[in-house]
Amino acid sequence: MSNVTADVGVVIVAAGSGSRTGSEELKQFRWVAGKPMLLHTVQLFQQRADVCMVVAVLPKRYAGDPPPWLFQSDIERLLIGVGGTQRGSSVRSGLDDLPTTARIVVIHDAARPFILDETVDAVIAAARKGTGAIAALPLTDTLKRVDEDGHVLGTTERSGLWRAQTPQAFPRDMIDDVTRRANREGVTATDDAALCEHYGYPVVVIPGSERAMKITSEDDFARAEVMSMLTR
Ligand code: CTP
Ligand code: MG
């Protein structure tokens, strides 16, 4: 990777409260597979020669006094951002901190510590072609629509349905445009690509991996230890 232009800015959102894990310590600061969850992807992105900056967006109360292990990384390419009350506002805050040299932006959830380099390669390559690109997995289970009493109302066609993950990569101008418009118009979404879709920009899927599961519940910590050992 010599002569690589370092034009990729990375925003890792780690400003959530982890309410569904129910633990005292924030889930993104807890250890999993040998180190704090957030440190896994800070280091993974900083190993890339095409990355000019990684912004780790933390809850406001930690941003002024971040956990010391965070500096076990390339501090020349690390910024600490201040998160908001919604994931979308944390993303917007991280984008504001990126240097102008970042022409491609990768957005990633700290809660997915075990992503693959090849997935990052592929979303960045697609974004370089001018589209949004998201890691995702096709659904494998049969889908049922169920009412509040547990009665099955019907079976939903599965083909063409994918589970969205992160990383998600975008041309800088695209993600800046959609996040600013969404902010102005009060449009919210559960991922960043949804804003691109909403405003008519093209988005493609890149095969993600089961390893990239999001750690949400307490049980997920045990599951994630196993996942971290998978190679795909
Ligand atoms: N996130 C964020 N800012 C928020 C909310 C979420 O940066 N205001 C981040 C989380 O830190 C996480 C990612 O977005 O890395 C995905 O969110 P999720 O898994 O839902 O984490 P939490 O919101 O922390 O958990 P919960 O919903 O259980 O409270
Ligand atoms: Mg959440």
Side-chain angles (χ1 to χ4, degrees):
M1 291 262 272
S2 59
N3 296 321
V4 170
T5 322
D7 63 351
V8 178
V10 180
V11 174
I12 304 179
V13 283
S17 56
S19 55
R20 284 170 290 179
T21 58
S23 63
E24 197 152 309
E25 191 177 15
L26 286 180
K27 68 175 177 180
Q28 59 272 39
F29 293 174
R30 282 173 61 184
W31 282 50
V32 56
K35 57 181 120 163
M37 191 190 299
L38 168 61
L39 192 58
H40 281 277
T41 46
V42 168
Q43 291 179 339
L44 177 132
F45 283 112
Q46 287 186 340
Q47 270 159 19
R48 303 183 60 92
D50 55 359
V51 166
C52 59
M53 189 59 72
V54 173
V55 182
V57 184
L58 303 187
K60 197 173 175 193
R61 71 181 187 281
Y62 291 99
D65 186 17
W69 46 256
L70 203 44
F71 303 106
Q72 289 172 28
S73 61
D74 176 4
I75 57 170
E76 302 285 313
R77 287 187 296 156
L78 179 69
L79 288 174
I80 308 297
V82 182
T85 53
Q86 304 295 321
R87 184 183 177 283
S89 46
S90 297
V91 168
R92 190 54 253 167
S93 162
L95 292 171
D96 284 338
D97 292 338
L98 284 177
T100 50
T101 46
R103 301 316 304 159
I104 300 289
V105 173
V106 176
I107 300 172
H108 181 64
D109 289 335
R112 300 181 188 273
F114 308 124
I115 56 173
L116 298 171
D117 283 321
E118 63 200 66
T119 308
V120 181
D121 290 342
V123 290
I124 289 173
R128 287 197 189 286
K129 294 182 186 150
T131 73
I134 68 172
L137 285 175
L139 284 169
T140 51
D141 295 327
T142 297
L143 294 182
K144 301 290 183 188
R145 187 169 298 284
V146 179
D147 72 12
E148 284 166 4
D149 302 323
H151 294 118
V152 173
L153 302 173
T155 302
T156 299
E157 178 60 43
R158 178 181 63 205
S159 72
L161 291 181
W162 293 59
R163 293 187 282 143
Q165 302 181 323
T166 69
Q168 305 196 345
F170 310 90
R172 175 79 178 266
D173 295 338
M174 181 189 298
I175 195 70
D176 273 344
D177 180 40
V178 301
T179 50
R180 285 188 184 134
R181 278 159 81 175
N183 198 27
R184 266 201 312 273
E185 296 165 16
V187 173
T188 59
T190 51
D191 76 351
D192 310 292
L195 297 178
C196 299
E197 299 151 29
H198 180 77
Y199 290 111
Y201 286 105
V203 177
V204 297
V205 294
I206 299 298
S209 70
E210 293 294 349
R211 268 181 64 116
M213 66 174 279
K214 184 153 72 79
I215 298 180
T216 304
S217 67
E218 189 57 45
D219 282 353
D220 286 342
F221 276 88
R223 238 172 250 136
E225 294 283 342
V226 178
M227 288 293 177
S228 72
M229 290 184 265
L230 302 180
T231 54
R232 302 186 47 79

